């Protein structure tokens, strides 16, 4: 039985249609069973550059290119680079190579060229001395301007000298991105890191180069097999353990790159064991969610009895996580409720409900949260905005009018009262209100407490509980269980989209799992915080100080042009992370180039609707883009129906997207808030005028002291919306354009 390794991120691997994919699967299933079977026609290539290269018959017209590697124990491994038509495969195989980079120990599979003049990857010839490029530096040189030399790229990193020379001749970062796209996986990624000024030592550490090359005492074949385990090698190669895995990878759509490919830095965060809580941050599209999924899988593989909770901000995102987790590894055990072995996946509000549903008696928790055991916990949820407005109208509090808006009162209730387990006026009068923008005098606190007490009484009369109250009850219930000696519900908790969680969310998360190794893994992006107010984790009993935090900087989703546009929306604002550290977009970069975003000023709302329809029609008809890959984003829900109708009247089938999954047969129309966590090939941001973005109605709901923070959330919302576009981004408005566009 032979082993199979697939090159899952080769730059020259062609895309295969469904019928050929099935034949490739059948071919390698037979290879794994018996590679000596005569029907496979696995043959060496006479005069090939690499004596290990083989081709095998997929069918009469297609052959697979692979390398045969035999270890000292006599076990055979085939490393597959791709499938081409018969004659092309023979020509490419003659010129293809597989080797271990002598500088850093990374395995590199290089597909040959069809002709000497054809563009494509070149066979590396390694050097350990500076090239002539250092003697006569090109002008201009973007990388030399950052202080890098040829020796840095070749002798320190191990880049191919020809690739290094082209990179050093590049005049700007866009030229670097174009060159990186032609390189094999790790080399292209390293060039992108260099382009944003990441240092050589930092890159060597991130890619695992600090340990040096593979042991030189091993045979060449054993060196190759050992190099497969190098973190940077795994960017291109995936070891196939069984036929089910083989089928998933081959049939997964362009070899399921997102599932099998991890940058060495991402792989480290997905696989490493931490002494306690760890926070991973990164801009939109940097792969935080993919890391969270792989980490859940790795923890489950490490201990089949582990109780793992994977949660996120809402149920829609949680459904996506569960679906992706099943695709990543169908063999994983998905738990039905928290506390069971396996991976329990749910939105955090659903998670809180599941905790409470498992409790036989909520009386003690109810008393601890509300100061009274009276009342029942039911399925009804409080309409908080409506209830606050009714309480303000009926309770004579004497509070300043500017502080009676539901948004201020709700944030005060959640962050200060529920977040600090306050149950009485005496406690509220003394509690620290850290992070709240508005200072309150003692008379004002008394007035606010009257309204909070009124809110609680009205909710109890309606036998309803608000979502933050559910979270507070669940957290208290878990803490009371732990205090009585009961086992915690989880061994590991992984949190995605953590930037939007408030105090009671964090109280629940902290209560789910005991402090210890790999207890909490937090993925977040402070720039994408579009709900609530910021929190500081150390004040909530969660420690991520010191070396317990790091970030991702390479965007895999958005083109460089769209990323630049989105990041520019944030310009001039100061953002803070979950420990009040200053955030920076300095090292953010993209691996892809594309067209510049198009900004369309319209004469009227009707003209804007027409231009949106025309642009969508062009994508559908001229560019052949699938309807489900196109999204039109609005600031508010009220605009969605009008857009769907307007597109329909102009011959475009569209559907408003709310809680249901996206439809592949319709253009998607959704709010900017709903777009969080999603991506589309083409995106139109509509209504980006000074009345809608930022939302004047939303800003009016905040006191003057909190206006800056509310404006920052509006800026973040537009950033989130703009970063949903993979390839093309269009922005439209009529009237005066939004100030957030710069």
């Amino acid at each position: 039985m032979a082993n199979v390794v697939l090159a899952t991120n080769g730059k020259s691997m062609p895309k295969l249609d469904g019928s050929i994919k099935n034949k490739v699967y059948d071919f390698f299933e037979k290879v794994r069973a018996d590679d000596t079977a005569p029907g496979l026609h696995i043959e060496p290539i006479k005069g090939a550059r690499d004596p290990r290269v083989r081709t095998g018959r997929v069918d009469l017209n297609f052959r697979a290119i692979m390398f045969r590697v035999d270890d000292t124990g006599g076990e055979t491994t085939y490393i597959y680079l791709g499938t081409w038509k018969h004659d092309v495969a023979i020509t490419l195989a003659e010129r293809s190579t597989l080797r271990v980079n002598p500088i850093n120990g990374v395995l590199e599979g290089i597909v040959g060229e069809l002709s000497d003049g054809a563009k494509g990857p070149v066979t590396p010839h390694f050097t350990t001395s500076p090239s002539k490029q250092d003697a006569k530096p090109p002008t201009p040189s973007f990388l030399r301007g950052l202080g890098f030399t040829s020796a840095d790229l070749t002798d320190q990193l191990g880049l191919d000298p020809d690739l290094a020379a082209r990179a050093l001749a590049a005049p700007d970062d866009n030229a670097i991105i174009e060159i990186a796209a032609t390189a094999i996986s790790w080399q292209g990624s390293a060039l992108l890191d260099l382009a944003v000024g990441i240092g050589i030592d930092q890159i060597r550490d991130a890619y695992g180069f600090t340990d040096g090359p593979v042991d030189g005492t091993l045979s060449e074949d054993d060196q190759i097999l050992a190099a497969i385990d190098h973190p940077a090698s795994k960017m291109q190669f995936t070891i196939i353990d069984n036929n089910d895995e083989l089928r998933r990878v081959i049939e997964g759509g362009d070899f399921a790159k997102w599932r099998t490919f991890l940058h060495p830095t991402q792989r480290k965060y997905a696989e490493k064991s931490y002494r306690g809580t760890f926070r991973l941050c990164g801009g939109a599209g940097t792969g935080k969610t993919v890391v969270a999924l792989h980490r859940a899988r790795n923890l489950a593989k490490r201990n089949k009895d582990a109780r793992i909770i994977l949660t996120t901000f809402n149920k829609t995102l949680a459904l996506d996580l569960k679906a992706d987790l099943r695709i990543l590894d169908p063999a994983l055990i998905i738990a039905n409720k928290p506390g069971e072995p396996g991976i329990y996946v749910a939105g955090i509000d659903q998670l809180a409900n599941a905790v409470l549903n498992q409790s036989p008696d909520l009386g003690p928790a109810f008393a601890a949260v509300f100061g009274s055991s009276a009342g029942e916990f039911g399925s009804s949820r409080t309409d908080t905005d409506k209830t606050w407005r009714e309480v303000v109208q009926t309770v004579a509090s004497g509070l300043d009018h500017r502080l009676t808006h539901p948004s201020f009162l709700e944030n005060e209730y959640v962050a200060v009262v529920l977040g600090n387990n306050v149950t009485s006026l005496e406690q509220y009068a003394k509690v620290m209100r850290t992070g709240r923008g508005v200072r309150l005098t003692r008379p004002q606190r008394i007035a606010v407490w009257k309204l909070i007490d009124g809110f609680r009484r009205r909710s109890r009369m309606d036998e309803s509980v608000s979502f933050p109250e559910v979270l507070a009850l669940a957290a208290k219930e878990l803490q009371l269980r732990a205090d009585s000696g009961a086992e915690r519900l989880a061994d590991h908790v992984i949190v995605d989209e953590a930037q939007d969680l408030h105090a009671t969310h964090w109280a629940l998360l902290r209560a789910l799992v005991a402090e210890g190794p790999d207890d909490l893994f937090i993925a977040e992006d402070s720039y994408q915080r579009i709900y609530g107010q910021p929190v500081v984790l150390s004040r909530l009993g969660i420690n991520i100080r010191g070396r317990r935090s790091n970030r991702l900087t390479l965007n895999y989703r958005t083109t460089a042009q769209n990323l630049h546009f989105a990041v520019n929306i944030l310009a001039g604002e100061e953002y803070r992370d979950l420990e009040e550290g200053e955030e920076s977009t300095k090292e953010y970069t993209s691996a892809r180039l594309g067209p510049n975003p198009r900004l369309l000023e319209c004469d009227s709302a009707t003209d804007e609707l027409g231009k949106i329809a025309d642009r969508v029609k062009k994508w559908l008809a001229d560019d052949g883009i699938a309807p489900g890959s196109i999204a039109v984003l609005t600031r508010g829900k009220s605009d969605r129906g009008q857009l769907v109708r307007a597109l329909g009247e102009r011959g475009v089938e569209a559907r408003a997207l709310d809680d249901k999954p996206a439809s592949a047969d319709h253009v998607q129309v959704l709010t900017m808030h709903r777009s969080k966590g999603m991506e589309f090939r083409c995106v139109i941001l509509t209504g980006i005028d000074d009345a809608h973005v930022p939302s004047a109605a939303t800003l009016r709901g905040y006191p003057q002291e909190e206006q800056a923070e509310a404006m920052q959330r509006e800026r973040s919302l537009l950033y989130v919306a703009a970063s949903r576009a993979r390839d093309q981004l269009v922005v439209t408005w009529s009237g005066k354009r939004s100030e957030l566009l710069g």
Side-chain angles (χ1 to χ4, degrees):
M1 180 175 177
N3 301 312
V4 173
V5 175
L6 301 186
T8 54
N9 199 35
K11 296 295 183 183
S12 296
M13 184 182 295
K15 293 184 179 181
L16 304 174
D17 63 33
S19 62
I20 298 301
K21 284 182 182 180
N22 289 333
K23 291 178 180 179
V24 170
Y25 166 75
D26 292 338
F27 172 79
F28 278 108
E29 187 177 33
K30 294 173 184 176
V31 169
R32 282 175 50 82
D34 179 11
D35 65 310
T36 65
L40 296 174
H41 291 272
I42 297 177
E43 302 164 352
I45 304 296
K46 186 177 180 179
R49 290 180 181 176
D50 192 323
R52 300 178 188 85
V53 76
R54 302 286 189 274
T55 64
R57 179 188 287 178
V58 174
D59 67 9
L60 290 176
N61 296 315
F62 285 86
R63 294 187 72 84
I65 296 179
M66 51 193 181
F67 295 86
R68 174 172 174 152
V69 182
D70 298 303
D71 66 16
T72 53
E75 193 170 49
T76 298
T77 297
Y78 289 95
I79 300 176
Y80 168 68
L81 291 192
T83 296
W84 286 263
K85 288 189 175 181
H86 183 283
D87 292 345
V88 173
I90 299 298
T91 302
L92 293 177
E94 290 175 349
R95 306 171 185 185
S96 297
T97 59
L98 180 75
R99 66 181 68 204
V100 178
N101 188 308
I103 303 298
N104 53 44
V106 179
L107 184 63
E108 299 175 329
I110 313 293
V111 178
E113 303 172 37
L114 287 177
S115 66
D116 291 338
K119 294 182 179 181
V122 296
T123 302
H125 301 283
F126 297 103
T127 179
T128 56
S129 59
S131 75
K132 293 181 180 180
Q133 289 287 345
D134 286 324
K136 293 185 69 176
T139 303
S141 172
F142 182 78
L143 290 183
R144 288 186 186 279
L146 296 176
F148 298 116
T149 67
S150 178
D152 289 332
L153 275 58
T154 57
D155 299 356
Q156 295 298 310
L157 292 183
L159 294 184
D160 167 60
D162 292 336
L163 179 70
R166 285 194 290 143
L168 286 167
D172 54 39
D173 54 348
N174 280 346
I176 297 292
I177 295 174
E178 289 182 338
I179 294 168
T182 69
I184 57 176
S185 301
W186 80 263
Q187 295 199 23
S189 184
L191 280 179
L192 296 173
D193 290 339
L194 291 168
V196 293
I198 297 178
I200 297 295
D201 290 342
Q202 189 176 348
I203 294 174
R204 283 176 55 83
D205 179 65
Y207 288 67
F209 295 167
T210 52
D211 296 332
V214 174
D215 184 357
T217 64
L218 299 175
S219 69
E220 287 189 10
D221 280 11
D222 283 339
Q223 286 187 39
I224 288 172
L225 295 174
I228 292 173
D229 286 329
H230 194 293
S233 300
K234 292 177 180 178
M235 295 179 71
Q236 185 178 5
F237 299 102
T238 294
I239 299 173
I240 301 301
D241 293 327
N242 54 59
N243 288 338
D244 289 339
E245 176 76 7
L246 176 66
R247 181 176 290 279
R248 286 202 307 276
V249 174
I250 288 177
E251 293 183 349
D254 199 16
F255 284 83
K257 289 181 182 178
W258 78 267
R259 297 199 293 272
T260 56
F261 159 76
L262 284 176
H263 187 283
T265 304
Q266 293 175 318
R267 186 174 296 279
K268 176 176 68 175
Y269 299 135
E271 296 179 352
K272 186 177 178 180
S273 183
Y274 298 98
R275 289 184 297 173
T277 299
F278 186 82
R279 166 185 170 263
L280 180 65
C281 65
T286 54
K288 301 180 297 299
T289 299
V290 173
V291 171
L293 290 167
H294 278 268
R295 184 162 184 83
R297 178 180 185 264
N298 290 334
L299 289 170
K301 292 291 187 182
R302 192 183 302 171
N303 176 8
K304 64 181 179 62
D305 295 322
R307 300 160 305 150
I308 302 162
I309 290 176
L310 174 60
T311 188
T312 187
F313 182 73
N314 61 38
K315 63 181 180 181
T316 305
L317 295 175
L319 289 173
D320 292 339
L321 286 177
K322 185 180 289 188
D324 290 341
L325 198 60
R326 290 188 186 279
I327 295 172
L328 176 63
D329 189 345
L332 289 173
I333 298 173
I334 305 299
N336 292 317
K337 59 182 181 180
E340 291 183 344
I343 305 173
Y344 176 77
V345 188
I348 195 163
D349 291 323
Q350 180 185 352
L351 170 61
N353 277 312
V355 168
L356 295 179
N357 289 337
Q358 295 182 37
S359 176
D361 180 14
L362 289 174
F366 204 98
V369 172
F370 297 108
S372 169
S373 59
E376 295 184 8
F377 173 76
S379 59
S380 178
R381 295 292 169 262
T382 307
D383 184 338
T384 54
D385 189 80
K386 177 183 177 183
T387 303
W388 282 118
R389 293 185 187 280
E390 290 176 351
V391 168
V392 167
Q393 292 174 359
T394 57
V395 174
S397 66
L399 187 64
D400 302 353
H401 176 72
R402 68 189 185 94
L403 301 180
T404 59
H405 195 279
S407 60
F408 173 80
L409 294 171
E410 177 69 4
N411 285 336
E412 182 76 6
Y413 182 43
V414 173
V416 180
V417 176
L418 294 177
N420 292 282
N421 291 307
V422 171
T423 61
S424 67
L425 172 59
E426 291 73 17
Q427 292 175 329
Y428 180 61
K430 299 176 182 177
V431 71
M432 296 285 290
R433 299 176 61 257
T434 306
R436 298 293 283 146
V438 179
R439 293 184 178 183
L440 297 179
T441 63
R442 182 175 177 81
Q444 285 175 323
R445 289 202 188 201
I446 294 172
V448 169
W449 183 258
K450 287 182 180 179
L451 296 176
I452 290 173
D453 186 56
F455 177 90
R456 284 181 160 179
R457 283 188 284 104
R458 183 173 290 270
S459 296
R460 298 300 83 78
M461 289 171 57
D462 296 338
E463 294 186 353
S464 69
V465 187
S466 70
F467 283 108
E469 289 174 334
V470 170
L471 289 157
L473 281 167
K476 182 56 67 175
E477 170 66 12
L478 289 174
Q479 192 56 55
L480 291 174
R481 288 190 209 174
D483 292 344
S484 67
E487 188 179 32
R488 301 275 184 170
L489 277 188
D491 300 304
H492 313 287
V493 175
I494 300 171
V495 190
D496 194 26
E497 297 288 354
Q499 68 277 352
D500 284 316
L501 304 185
H502 53 61
T504 56
H505 288 124
W506 291 110
L508 172 62
L509 294 169
R510 180 67 281 173
L512 281 167
V513 59
E515 291 188 57
D518 299 321
D519 55 350
L520 281 164
F521 185 88
I522 300 165
E524 66 99 17
D525 177 12
S526 299
Y527 295 115
Q528 294 190 66
R529 185 176 60 79
I530 58 177
Y531 295 100
Q533 292 186 306
V535 299
V536 179
L537 291 188
S538 60
R539 296 172 186 159
L540 301 172
I542 298 172
N543 178 22
I544 57 170
R545 294 185 181 276
R547 301 177 66 86
R548 294 189 178 187
S549 182
N550 221 316
R551 67 179 182 143
L552 300 171
T553 58
L554 180 57
N555 184 301
Y556 297 92
R557 177 176 67 213
T558 309
T559 64
Q561 288 80 0
N562 291 345
L563 178 63
H564 176 76
F565 178 87
V567 169
N568 191 57
I569 293 169
L570 307 173
E573 284 288 324
E574 183 180 276
Y575 286 79
R576 297 284 175 175
D577 62 25
L578 294 174
E579 276 304 328
E580 293 192 308
E582 185 175 351
E583 289 279 25
S584 171
T585 59
K586 178 182 177 183
E587 294 178 350
Y588 284 166
T589 188
S590 172
R592 303 171 54 234
L593 291 175
N596 288 323
R598 298 190 60 181
L599 275 64
L600 300 180
E601 182 176 7
C602 306
D603 297 332
S604 64
T606 302
D607 181 43
E608 188 172 0
L609 292 171
K611 286 181 176 176
I612 292 170
D614 290 343
R615 171 50 49 183
V616 171
K617 286 180 181 179
K618 184 179 188 311
W619 283 333
L620 293 171
D622 298 347
D623 300 338
I625 295 172
S629 296
I630 301 172
V632 182
L633 273 54
T634 72
R635 174 60 182 85
K637 288 184 178 181
S638 60
D639 299 322
R640 288 182 313 178
Q642 180 186 9
L643 273 165
V644 170
R645 289 190 297 273
L647 289 172
E649 291 167 358
R650 291 163 174 81
V652 176
E653 291 192 28
R655 178 170 295 174
L657 186 61
D658 205 339
D659 292 338
K660 296 180 180 179
S663 167
D665 300 326
H666 295 81
V667 173
Q668 313 300 314
V669 180
L670 60 159
T671 65
M672 296 179 184
H673 284 89
R674 174 64 176 85
S675 73
K676 175 185 279 288
M678 305 186 74
E679 62 178 64
F680 302 90
R681 280 192 63 184
C682 303
V683 170
I684 297 177
L685 306 183
T686 181
I688 313 302
D689 56 66
D690 63 342
H692 293 87
V693 181
S695 169
T698 299
L699 293 178
R700 281 196 297 270
Y702 292 92
Q704 184 62 39
E705 295 91 333
E706 296 182 359
Q707 285 284 319
E709 189 176 290
M711 175 65 86
Q712 190 176 84
R713 283 194 295 275
E714 290 288 306
R715 193 177 294 275
S716 291
L717 180 61
L718 187 58
Y719 164 75
V720 167
S723 59
R724 301 308 97 190
R726 293 200 304 263
D727 300 329
Q728 297 189 53
L729 176 65
V730 174
V731 182
T732 70
W733 71 92
S734 59
K736 185 178 179 181
R737 64 185 278 172
S738 168
E739 64 182 281
L740 301 186
L741 293 179

